Amino acid sequence: MKHLETTPWFICDKDDTNLCAYVDTDSNYFNAEPLLLHLYPDFEQKTNEEKDEILEKVALYYQDFISDHYNKLARDCFNVEEHRLEMKTECVIRAAYFRATRRYAQWITKQEGITKETLDVKGLEYKKSNFPKVFRGFFEQVVEDVLKGTKQTEIDKRILDFKSQILKNIPIEELGNPTGVKTLNKYIERKPVGGEAFTVIAKGAPAAVRATIKYNDLLKYWKLDNKHETIVQGSKVKWIYLKKNPYNIEALAYLDYDMPDKIREFLDKFADKEKVFDTILLNKLEGFYDDLGWKLVTNPYVNQFFI
């Protein structure tokens, strides 16, 4: 678990261990392992189900203990006999990852006394709408595997295999960054004139806007705009980085539901899938690995010797 970065003196002395892993608006999450190992020296030899039962039992004990203490708190601090202060056990979490406030993943195995298997994820980068679905599914599986104890070496291999799929097998429609184009007209400085192929784009245009304008220009240049839909302001598009190409286009947008064959052929040839992996997925994985104290290596030959 990623512990709180700073601990107030009135909660825990600086030389003591703070077992509070995360705090939300009305919830506190504690690392119970030291207490469980103290109360049950053979805790590690028990099955996962037995561990869940023991943890819930301990949690319920402290729930009642703290709730009883609220009676004294109400009298001494608020001078009232009746109150609504109550501590309640929400769930048993077998493993969790806390990155920042409201950004976490937790593997819940019991909730309010009911046995379940739930991966609860809030606020992590891969859940955002501009994260391609194919990458989102892969990242979520990585998070789940980590929480369920899969070894780093196995996850490293899966990442390398997934990168290989991106470079060779996954259709181009699934690799683009999904986004909305809200300010298209603002960045059109001058449309093509006198045999020019491409619009002059104003400085400061976002990458998705530049990629959209280039798509519309290509559509007209190849005389495909009468058969296929041009992208207009407010459209939902996907866009992707390109390798060096005859038109010096750095990135190109597209509509995955209306892609001309010529655009598809152009993207299949010039899409920079390596950069797609690096910019969309790799930096997120590196941050995740760093939080775990792991090192991510995507070069499969890094540990090999050559003669």
Side-chain angles (χ1 to χ4, degrees):
M1 292 184 179
K2 187 172 183 180
H3 289 262
L4 298 177
E5 295 179 1
T6 58
T7 305
W9 64 267
F10 52 84
I11 291 179
C12 179
D13 293 335
K14 66 178 182 178
D15 295 328
D16 291 338
T17 301
N18 177 23
L19 299 179
C20 185
Y22 178 74
V23 174
D24 208 336
T25 306
D26 58 353
S27 301
N28 294 273
Y29 297 76
F30 290 92
N31 177 11
E33 186 177 39
L35 178 60
L36 294 170
L37 291 174
H38 174 73
L39 295 174
Y40 302 88
D42 62 340
F43 183 75
E44 292 296 348
Q45 280 68 56
K46 297 184 180 298
T47 66
N48 286 331
E49 291 71 20
E50 289 173 333
K51 291 178 181 179
D52 291 342
E53 292 293 334
I54 291 172
L55 177 54
E56 184 179 49
K57 178 181 177 181
V58 171
L60 290 172
Y61 169 80
Y62 280 98
Q63 163 192 295
D64 295 340
F65 181 86
I66 296 172
S67 291
D68 288 343
H69 181 72
Y70 281 152
N71 295 326
K72 184 176 186 303
L73 177 71
R75 288 193 301 271
D76 294 349
C77 296
F78 305 111
N79 195 29
V80 295
E81 292 294 333
E82 296 183 2
H83 61 84
R84 297 181 180 180
L85 300 175
E86 180 184 17
M87 183 63 68
K88 183 179 180 182
T89 298
E90 293 183 5
C91 56
V92 170
I93 303 169
R94 193 171 294 171
Y97 164 67
F98 297 104
R99 181 165 178 78
T101 303
R102 294 185 178 85
R103 294 169 64 186
Y104 58 81
Q106 50 188 2
W107 179 21
I108 299 173
T109 53
K110 296 197 77 173
Q111 191 161 20
E112 296 183 352
I114 301 174
T115 300
K116 61 190 308 182
E117 288 277 342
T118 302
L119 181 66
D120 179 36
V121 181
K122 295 287 190 298
L124 296 185
E125 289 87 342
Y126 73 85
K127 299 290 285 186
K128 296 179 179 178
S129 61
N130 64 347
F131 206 80
K133 185 177 180 180
V134 66
F135 293 99
R136 186 185 310 134
F138 177 77
F139 205 130
E140 182 154 313
Q141 188 60 56
V142 167
V143 171
E144 182 173 346
D145 289 342
V146 167
L147 294 181
K148 293 186 176 181
T150 303
K151 300 295 184 183
Q152 180 186 348
T153 51
E154 176 61 27
I155 294 176
D156 288 348
K157 182 179 181 301
R158 292 179 189 176
I159 291 172
L160 290 175
D161 291 344
F162 185 66
K163 181 179 180 181
S164 179
Q165 292 178 41
I166 291 172
L167 298 179
K168 299 176 182 178
N169 302 323
I170 297 179
I172 201 70
E173 293 93 334
E174 298 183 28
L175 298 180
N177 287 283
T179 188
V181 183
K182 299 179 180 179
T183 54
L184 185 61
N185 299 333
K186 173 183 176 181
Y187 295 103
I188 297 177
E189 188 170 299
R190 180 175 59 78
K191 293 186 177 182
V193 295
E196 293 177 340
F198 296 103
T199 298
V200 176
I201 302 174
K203 292 182 179 180
V209 171
R210 300 179 69 86
T212 295
I213 294 173
K214 294 296 184 182
Y215 173 84
N216 285 341
D217 287 343
L218 266 188
L219 214 61
K220 292 178 182 178
Y221 182 71
W222 286 338
K223 296 179 171 53
L224 299 171
D225 52 316
N226 290 327
K227 297 180 180 179
H228 296 276
E229 182 179 337
T230 56
I231 300 173
V232 298
Q233 190 159 289
S235 293
K236 301 291 185 181
V237 304
K238 293 181 179 179
W239 66 276
I240 194 166
Y241 287 108
L242 302 181
K243 297 179 288 188
K244 187 175 181 180
N245 58 82
Y247 303 102
N248 292 320
I249 300 174
E250 296 179 354
L252 193 70
Y254 58 89
L255 300 167
D256 56 3
Y257 61 84
D258 183 24
M259 187 187 295
D261 291 339
K262 195 164 185 177
I263 293 288
R264 186 188 308 275
E265 292 169 5
F266 182 76
L267 290 175
D268 285 338
K269 186 174 182 179
F270 294 110
D272 192 342
K273 296 181 180 180
E274 186 89 33
K275 191 171 184 179
V276 168
F277 175 82
D278 290 346
T279 57
I280 297 178
L281 188 62
L282 181 60
N283 60 345
K284 307 294 190 304
L285 286 172
E286 286 175 335
F288 182 52
Y289 264 50
D290 185 60
D291 289 339
L292 298 173
W294 295 358
K295 181 175 177 58
L296 177 60
V297 177
T298 56
N299 181 355
Y301 308 108
V302 70
N303 292 321
Q304 296 185 13
F305 295 94
F306 296 88
I307 298 177

